[in-house]
Amino acid sequence: MGATAAATREVAHDDRAMRSRFHELIFSGEPFGVLAFGVDNFDRINNLFSYEFGDRVLEGIASLMAELAPAGSETFRFDGDCFGTVVPFVTDSEDLRSLFDRALISTSAGFTIDGASISFGITGCACLYPANGRNAEELFRNLHIALIDAKRYGRSTC
């Protein structure tokens, strides 16, 4: 089943908005999880098609995550081709891994944008509050480090 980038959703384009959401959830006292992922070899998409086309791919990913993530989740774009989906009330990293697997299946199946079909992998990581960070800054730092490590050591994995 391929995704179409026709239905887009506004996504915050910086890590400050994601950290702000972390603060809100921490203040509420509820546990939550974050699935972070980046598009494998995204520069190749930009180089083969165009930067405008690459932007539409990123919009398509945001729309995909809005469809796949549980109700109450929010997806934030940060660090170029990286996304973080914040999922309230998650206490088990397997729930985030399942979300990653569904996203990977969808991106591997492909998107149709401007009549062009494109498929790609994603590489990700998952962090839980409070297990992987006692405050918003620590959680974001650990999430970012885990994503860098994941991209360095393997592709299309979480």
Side-chain angles (χ1 to χ4, degrees):
M1 175 172 147
T4 302
T8 60
R9 169 177 159 323
E10 190 61 34
V11 174
H13 292 293
D14 65 41
D15 58 281
R16 288 175 297 192
M18 188 165 66
R19 287 194 313 253
S20 176
R21 183 66 178 133
F22 290 176
H23 283 292
E24 291 169 7
L25 289 168
I26 290 168
F27 184 76
S28 76
E30 296 295 335
F32 63 95
V34 186
L35 171 65
F37 64 91
V39 179
D40 294 343
N41 303 309
F42 184 69
D43 56 335
R44 185 175 162 101
I45 292 171
N46 281 336
N47 292 336
L48 287 173
F49 295 94
S50 70
Y51 286 97
E52 183 181 333
F53 184 87
D55 287 344
R56 287 197 297 280
V57 169
L58 297 174
E59 291 167 1
I61 293 169
S63 294
L64 172 68
M65 293 311 293
E67 293 172 21
L68 294 178
S73 300
E74 282 184 79
T75 297
F76 300 87
R77 183 174 157 210
F78 68 98
D79 202 20
D81 65 7
C82 296
F83 291 85
T85 299
V86 180
V87 184
F89 306 108
V90 168
T91 58
D92 186 346
S93 62
E94 286 306 311
D95 293 334
L96 297 171
R97 181 176 294 279
S98 175
L99 177 58
F100 174 84
D101 290 342
R102 292 191 315 272
L104 178 61
I105 289 167
S106 294
T107 59
S108 296
F111 286 82
T112 300
I113 300 172
D114 294 343
S117 196
I118 182 167
S119 62
F120 49 87
I122 57 174
T123 299
C125 66
C127 285
L128 299 171
Y129 170 81
N132 301 121
R134 291 165 287 165
N135 59 54
E137 298 307 316
E138 183 179 28
L139 183 64
F140 181 78
R141 183 178 57 249
N142 291 340
L143 183 74
H144 199 247
I145 290 168
L147 184 56
I148 290 168
D149 285 348
K151 285 181 148 191
R152 183 178 302 138
Y153 296 115
R155 297 288 180 181
S156 297
T157 62
C158 182

